[in-house]
């Protein structure tokens, strides 16, 4: 990695106490005027003030010490590289408080960061723009000069001057709306003072929106803002938010600190959502649900994202990380507790089993690579933050917090959380501070255990063999680092402090024994276990490790899969471990495929989804060999019995998970060329297009993907027409993600060109290209060439934000040859500059929208 310039935080001589901020956006010329009046404290006498500032022109600046004359700054020295400005004063500013005034102008950019413009169409088709914000990590400085570091907290008084027919929102409730003296078409909108908070959580929105509202049980006003005419689509999120606020208040035993919370759907939005305090912004697909046109997975996705962002209102907003190094804790925690919250609101989702498939196993896949990184990475320059927001910070972070919660127990965990939030409210904290609170509450060595999980990369493979002596079972356990590239044979394998639990067939869902494995090898004695019983490690698949059983132990577990006495989450964990051991060359693929036969009676959606994903990876690898047809046949054999059992139409009494399973199985059969599935999909697609019989939302993806994979240019044109007619972003995205399934090389080119057209929102281009790359061998090659050929335009679009790293990961994911690996490395250097540091972006805020 090339040397980075040394990074320095802002000097501590001057600190803000309150920002009085007035902004006047121009929605036609895409500029804004701003006035800042900040109450500051000069802590050390100085003749300059250094602040963050980017793409802003300062017109005048002055400082007035309390009770003294105003002094005008004589120079503004912009350090553009560092995104800083130094205001120089003719005389020394003495210690004490005073008022810093700055008049400035800026640009409403189209890069989805800072204070930016977002494009939308009115009912009559007229194109208009809203002005919205996205400040995390370091883009508040694009909206106003500020001390843009999470630990420099202050209060904010915001005034927005906006056209009188527009909605204006900020973090706090509106306190006054009055005509603007200089222009009768404008109004001045004033908001209440915020609590003490970090700059990255400040937000403003100016645009046209409808809303639905309610009060939560604890009296907080909750609103969901939607595009005009779509208020109905905000009701589901509103319901979730109104249930979630009291849940967190109760869980943390700390009330929500603001009088209101708004959730708002933004048309052009890079991430999934952003937890701005009191004004949470979302992609439309992460917030809007249409009862008729939204599929089950979208509902679940909205529930999770709402749960995630509202958790941040406490964990992140009330108590904030001291510096970006501790970002993993903020994100990992919210990514864990969102599931707790959804499980509370929707027990029928069986969401914890889905956690294992969506977060836990995905984190293990990435973390087994040689180029993984520890959860906690020391961040110098904040531009490195975008490289760290990855599946390791979110998904591994969430997984180790789930393991920690299990190790401590819920009651002590809550006690520790309350202590932490109370002690540090309106302040900043580091990872160690949380460990300390949890250690005091539980009396367990939390810091020692957790540092083995956060400060070193990777995780252990626990090898276990057993021996029966009368009525006791003796287990020998040993741990080594698990590597995707094969058995770890370095001299020194790192070691972890592993909370281990063990269950038997007598009670598969509860631990018979719990212990902390704090050395490389251990012998464990289980009393009262006869030779007929099976023994399994890690019930609930909570510990962040993989398990390799001796052949006889594995053999004894198979009946537990067949008769479903093993919990779904453990059936899932077992086959996931086997697949990854096979991919790492530690056991043979044949052994794994044999175990597949034990899954004939499998009823659980999440287990199927994980199986399907693993077979998909195998199928991708075999697409480079002559066995491709055989694996397709194997997939048809595995999936047709359950396909037959489910049929195409929902039966009375079915729920959320049945709908998800049907979509998964039909899509898998369709892609594998199952004849009856293809014929039925074509028939239903024809009826859908002709308006005879609309496809239910849950069947659309599988039908679309099946007809496209086996379709021609007419099929593609029909899909593009459906895309154009779709009124809902969810349906547009659904189509964008499957277009890549088309087979012919020239149609693949057409899809790739479409990805950069006006028809596709900039944040969604990535999923079209990714869909092509993920669909076939031909698609992978074409997408890679396309990304190389259009690199400049793509890079300019995303300006090195995280969407660019997501794009690269999607484009090169399925390659399996040495030659390609070299080409990817070489062209990365030639075309893309140094990308060695780019994380494989699996932001949950996005990945949940792109199920494998």
């Amino acid at each position: 990695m090339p040397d980075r310039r040394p990074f320095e935080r802002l000097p501590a001589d001057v600190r803000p106490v309150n920002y009085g901020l007035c902004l006047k956006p121009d929605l036609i010329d895409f500029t804004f005027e701003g006035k800042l009046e900040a109450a500051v404290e000069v802590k050390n006498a100085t003749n300059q003030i250094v602040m963050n500032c980017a793409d802003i022109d300062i017109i005048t600046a002055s400082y007035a010490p309390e009770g003294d004359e105003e002094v005008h700054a004589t120079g503004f020295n912009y350090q553009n590289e560092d995104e800083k400005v130094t205001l120089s004063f003719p005389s020394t500013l003495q210690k004490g408080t005073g008022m810093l005034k700055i008049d400035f102008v800026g640009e409403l950019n189209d890069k989805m960061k800072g204070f930016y413009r977002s494009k939308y169409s009115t009912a009559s088709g007229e194109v208009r723009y809203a002005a919205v914000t996205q400040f995390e990590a370091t883009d508040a400085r694009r909206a106003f000069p500020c001390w843009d570091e999470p630990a420099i907290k202050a209060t904010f008084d915001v005034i927005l001057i906006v056209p009188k027919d527009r909605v204006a929102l900020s973090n706090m409730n509106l306190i006054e709306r009055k005509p603007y003296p200089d222009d009768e078409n404008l109004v001045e909108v004033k908001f209440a003072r915020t609590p003490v908070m970090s700059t990255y959580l400040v937000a403003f929105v100016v645009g046209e929106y409808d809303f639905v509202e309610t009060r939560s049980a604890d009296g907080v006003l909750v609103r969901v803002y939607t595009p005009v005419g779509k208020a109905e689509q905000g009701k589901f999120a509103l319901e979730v938010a109104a249930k979630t606020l009291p849940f967190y208040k109760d869980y943390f035993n700390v009330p929500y600190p603001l009088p209101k919370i708004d959730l708002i759907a933004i048309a052009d939005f890079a991430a999934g959502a952003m937890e701005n305090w009191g004004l949470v912004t979302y992609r439309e697909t992460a917030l809007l649900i249409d009862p008729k046109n939204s599929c089950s997975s979208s509902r679940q996705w909205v529930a999770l994202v709402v749960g995630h962002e509202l958790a941040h209102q406490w964990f992140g907003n009330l108590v904030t990380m001291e510096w970006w190094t501790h970002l993993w804790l903020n994100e990992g925690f919210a990514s864990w507790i969102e599931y707790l919250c959804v499980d509370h609101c929707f027990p029928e989702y069986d969401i914890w089993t889905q956690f294992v498939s969506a977060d836990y196993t995905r984190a293990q896949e990435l973390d087994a690579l040689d180029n993984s990184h520890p959860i906690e990475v020391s961040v110098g320059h904040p531009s490195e933050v975008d490289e760290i927001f990855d599946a390791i910070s979110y998904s591994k972070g969430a997984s180790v917090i789930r393991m920690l919660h299990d190790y401590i127990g819920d009651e002590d965990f809550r006690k520790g959380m309350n202590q932490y939030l109370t002690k540090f409210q309106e302040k900043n904290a580091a990872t160690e501070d949380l460990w300390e609170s949890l250690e005091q509450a539980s009396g367990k060595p939390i810091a020692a255990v957790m540092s083995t999980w956060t400060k070193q990369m990777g995780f252990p493979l626990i090898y276990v063999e057993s021996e029966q002596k009368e009525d006791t079972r003796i287990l020998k356990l040993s741990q080594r680092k698990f590597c995707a590239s094969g058995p770890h044979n370095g001299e020194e394998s790192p070691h972890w402090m592993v909370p281990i639990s063990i269950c038997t067939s007598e009670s598969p869902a509860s631990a018979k024994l719990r212990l902390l494995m704090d050395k490389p090898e251990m012998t464990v004695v289980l009393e009262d276990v006869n030779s007929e019983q099976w023994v399994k490690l890690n019930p609930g698949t909570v510990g962040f490790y993989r398990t390799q059983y001796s052949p006889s132990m594995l053999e004894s577990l198979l009946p537990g899969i067949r008769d479903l006495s093993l919990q779904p989450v453990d059936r899932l964990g077992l086959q996931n471990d086997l697949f990854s051991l096979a991919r790492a060359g530690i056991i043979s693929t044949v052994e794994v495929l044999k175990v597949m036969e034990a899954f004939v009676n499998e009823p659980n959606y999440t287990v199927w989804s994980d199986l399907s994903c693993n077979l998909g990876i195998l199928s991708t690898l075999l697409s480079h060999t002559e066995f491709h047809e055989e694996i397709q046949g194997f997939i048809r054999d595995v999936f047709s019995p359950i396909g037959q059992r489910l049929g195409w139409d929902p039966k009375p009494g079915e729920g959320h998970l049945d709908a998800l399973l049907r979509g998964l199985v039909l899509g898998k059969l369709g892609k594998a060329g199952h004849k009856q599935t293809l014929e039925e999909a074509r028939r239903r697609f024809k009826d859908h297009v002709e308006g005879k019989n609309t496809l239910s939302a849950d069947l659309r993806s599988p039908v679309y993907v099946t007809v496209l994979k086996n379709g021609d240019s007419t099929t593609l044109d029909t899909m593009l027409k459906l895309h154009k007619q779709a009124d809902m972003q969810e349906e547009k995205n659904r189509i964008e993600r499957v277009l890549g399934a088309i087979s012919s090389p020239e149609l693949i080119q057409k899809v790739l060109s479409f990805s950069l057209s006006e028809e596709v929102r900039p944040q969604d281009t990535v999923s079209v290209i990714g869909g092509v790359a993920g669909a076939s061998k031909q698609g992978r090659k074409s997408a890679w060439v396309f990304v190389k050929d259009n690199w400049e335009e793509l890079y300019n679009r995303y300006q090195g934000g995280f969407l660019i790293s997501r794009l690269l990961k999607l484009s090169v994911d399925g390659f399996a040859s040495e030659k390609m690996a070299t080409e990817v490395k070489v062209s990365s250097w030639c075309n893309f500059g140094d990308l060695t540091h780019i994380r494989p972006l699996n932001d949950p805020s996005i990945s949940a929208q792109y199920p494998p």
Side-chain angles (χ1 to χ4, degrees), residues 601-619:
N601 308 317
E602 183 56 61
N604 183 283
Y605 158 70
T606 314
V607 178
W608 273 111
S609 144
D610 204 69
L611 258 171
S612 151
C613 195
N614 283 311
L615 286 169
I617 294 171
L618 193 59
S619 160

Side-chain angles (χ1 to χ4, degrees), residues 3-8 52-55 77-85 138 141-142 381-383:
D3 290 339
R4 299 270 160 102
R5 281 172 312 101
F7 167 72
E8 281 175 31
N52 291 114
C53 173
D55 302 333
N77 179 18
Y78 298 96
Q79 293 105 299
N80 291 339
E81 273 290 88
D82 290 330
E83 303 187 336
K84 288 177 185 166
V85 65
T138 55
R141 60 192 68 174
R142 290 173 201 283
H381 199 295
S383 68

Side-chain angles (χ1 to χ4, degrees), residues 47-333:
N47 59 0
Q48 54 183 36
I49 296 179
V50 184
M51 302 168 77
N52 291 114
C53 173
D55 302 333
I56 278 179
D57 287 321
I58 293 175
I59 297 161
T60 59
S62 67
Y63 176 74
E66 204 165 320
D68 210 343
E69 305 279 270
E70 182 172 33
V71 190
H72 282 274
T74 43
F76 318 134
N77 179 18
Y78 298 96
Q79 293 105 299
N80 291 339
E81 273 290 88
D82 290 330
E83 303 187 336
K84 288 177 185 166
V85 65
T86 303
L87 309 175
S88 312
F89 291 89
S91 52
T92 303
L93 313 179
Q94 298 304 328
K95 278 167 77 158
T97 54
M99 188 61 78
L100 173 68
K101 292 186 182 178
I102 302 179
D103 288 1
F104 57 94
V105 292
E107 173 201 13
L108 286 177
N109 70 66
D110 59 355
K111 300 285 184 262
M112 295 189 275
K113 60 183 186 181
F115 198 11
Y116 71 92
R117 61 186 190 261
S118 168
K119 184 171 159 181
Y120 63 98
S121 301
T122 62
S124 64
E126 182 197 340
V127 170
R128 291 190 185 164
Y129 289 86
V132 302
T133 56
Q134 168 59 38
F135 291 164
E136 189 179 23
T138 55
D139 292 314
R141 60 192 68 174
R142 290 173 201 283
F144 55 101
C146 56
W147 286 263
D148 200 6
E149 294 180 3
I152 308 180
K153 289 187 166 187
T155 56
F156 291 81
D157 294 315
V158 174
I159 294 176
L160 297 173
I161 295 166
V162 303
K164 61 181 182 202
D165 58 352
R166 294 292 191 270
V167 172
L169 302 170
S170 186
N171 305 80
M172 295 297 289
N173 47 307
L174 180 147
I175 49 177
E176 188 184 17
R177 187 184 169 101
K178 58 179 191 198
Y180 181 62
D182 303 351
D183 182 340
E184 59 184 20
N185 295 312
L186 301 179
V187 288
E188 191 172 301
V189 184
K190 188 175 182 193
F191 300 92
R193 176 168 291 189
T194 69
V196 175
M197 64 185 284
S198 303
T199 47
Y200 80 89
L201 294 164
V202 174
F204 346 105
V205 173
V206 179
E208 296 176 278
Y209 300 94
D210 284 345
F211 67 86
V212 283
E213 70 175 8
T214 187
R215 268 190 197 279
S216 70
D218 39 10
V220 180
L221 179 65
V222 186
R223 284 184 173 179
V224 174
Y225 283 86
T226 70
V228 173
K230 296 189 177 177
E232 192 63 20
Q233 295 178 16
K235 283 188 170 163
F236 178 75
L238 184 70
E239 219 173 288
V240 177
K243 274 190 194 162
T244 297
L245 285 172
F247 172 74
Y248 286 145
K249 175 191 169 189
D250 180 51
Y251 195 85
F252 298 131
N253 198 10
V254 172
Y256 173 73
L258 310 184
K260 63 92 174 173
I261 188 160
D262 297 325
L263 292 74
I264 185 166
I266 305 292
D268 293 319
F269 197 76
M274 174 63 210
E275 69 264 21
N276 317 300
W277 215 359
L279 176 56
V280 186
T281 47
Y282 293 79
R283 270 188 185 208
E284 288 185 4
T285 47
L287 190 68
L288 304 181
I289 290 295
D290 171 351
K292 279 197 292 295
N293 291 301
S294 288
C295 59
S296 305
S297 57
S298 295
R299 274 168 210 278
Q300 178 176 307
W301 166 231
V302 168
L304 284 167
V305 182
V306 169
H308 179 102
E309 304 309 334
L310 295 194
H312 277 311
Q313 307 301 305
W314 285 262
F315 202 98
N317 300 8
L318 181 64
V319 176
T320 310
M321 66 249 148
E322 196 281 327
W323 186 247
W324 301 107
T325 299
H326 305 282
L327 176 72
W328 82 268
L329 187 61
N330 203 359
E331 291 306 343
F333 182 84

Side-chain angles (χ1 to χ4, degrees), residues 6 38 67 109 136 261 331 423 509 583 664 696 719 786 799 842:
N109 70 66
E136 189 179 23
I261 188 160
E331 291 306 343
K423 180 175 176 184
R583 284 202 292 273
L664 172 81
S696 77
M719 286 305 299
F786 183 81
Q799 294 282 308
N842 277 358

Side-chain angles (χ1 to χ4, degrees), residues 582-798:
R583 284 202 292 273
I586 296 171
I587 60 173
S588 93
T589 305
V590 178
E591 283 176 66
V592 190
L593 295 178
K594 273 194 202 139
V595 174
M596 291 299 91
E597 313 293 342
F599 285 88
V600 286
N601 308 317
E602 183 56 61
N604 183 283
Y605 158 70
T606 314
V607 178
W608 273 111
S609 144
D610 204 69
L611 258 171
S612 151
C613 195
N614 283 311
L615 286 169
I617 294 171
L618 193 59
S619 160
T620 299
L621 286 170
L622 291 174
S623 68
H624 303 273
T625 69
E626 68 275 25
F627 298 113
H628 190 242
E629 221 0 86
E630 266 131 46
I631 188 84
Q632 297 312 312
F634 182 76
I635 290 172
R636 291 193 294 269
D637 293 346
V638 170
F639 281 88
S640 46
I642 178 106
Q644 240 124 34
R645 220 162 50 228
L646 286 164
W648 279 79
D649 298 303
K651 302 176 182 57
E654 280 189 357
H656 177 76
L657 293 163
D658 302 292
L660 293 178
L661 181 57
R662 179 173 289 108
L664 172 81
V665 170
L666 292 174
K668 202 74 183 168
L669 284 168
K671 279 197 288 201
H674 184 254
K675 197 159 159 290
Q676 289 88 332
T677 307
L678 173 57
E679 285 163 7
E680 184 62 11
R682 282 185 168 148
R683 190 181 70 71
R684 290 181 181 238
F685 183 66
K686 186 168 179 288
D687 285 355
H688 176 70
V689 173
E690 291 169 1
K692 281 190 205 145
N693 205 344
T694 304
L695 278 166
S696 77
D698 283 314
L699 286 177
R700 286 182 204 171
S701 279
V703 166
Y704 292 170
V705 83
T706 302
V707 296
L708 274 163
K709 181 138 177 87
N710 302 280
D712 54 17
S713 61
T714 321
T715 323
L716 181 59
D717 290 342
T718 309
M719 286 305 299
L720 293 174
K721 199 163 108 202
L722 288 179
H723 180 277
K724 205 176 176 68
Q725 289 162 355
D727 173 46
M728 210 183 166
Q729 200 50 36
E730 179 189 322
E731 175 73 357
K732 283 191 190 293
N733 282 169
R734 187 181 288 129
I735 294 170
E736 287 159 3
R737 290 200 296 270
V738 297
L739 288 173
I742 199 88
S743 307
S744 94
E746 54 276 17
L747 296 179
I748 289 177
Q749 278 320 122
K750 186 171 173 178
V751 171
L752 288 167
S753 312
F754 172 74
S755 74
L756 285 175
S757 71
E758 282 290 301
E759 297 290 320
V760 178
R761 287 198 181 152
Q763 75 253 25
D764 298 321
T765 297
V766 174
S767 51
V768 181
I769 300 174
V772 171
S776 62
K777 196 171 161 184
Q778 178 62 47
R780 271 193 293 288
K781 286 186 185 152
S782 308
W784 172 239
V785 172
F786 183 81
V787 168
K788 286 193 297 184
D789 292 349
N790 293 278
W791 181 250
E792 208 138 300
E793 178 175 351
L794 289 163
Y795 190 80
N796 282 338
R797 249 184 203 210
Y798 307 118

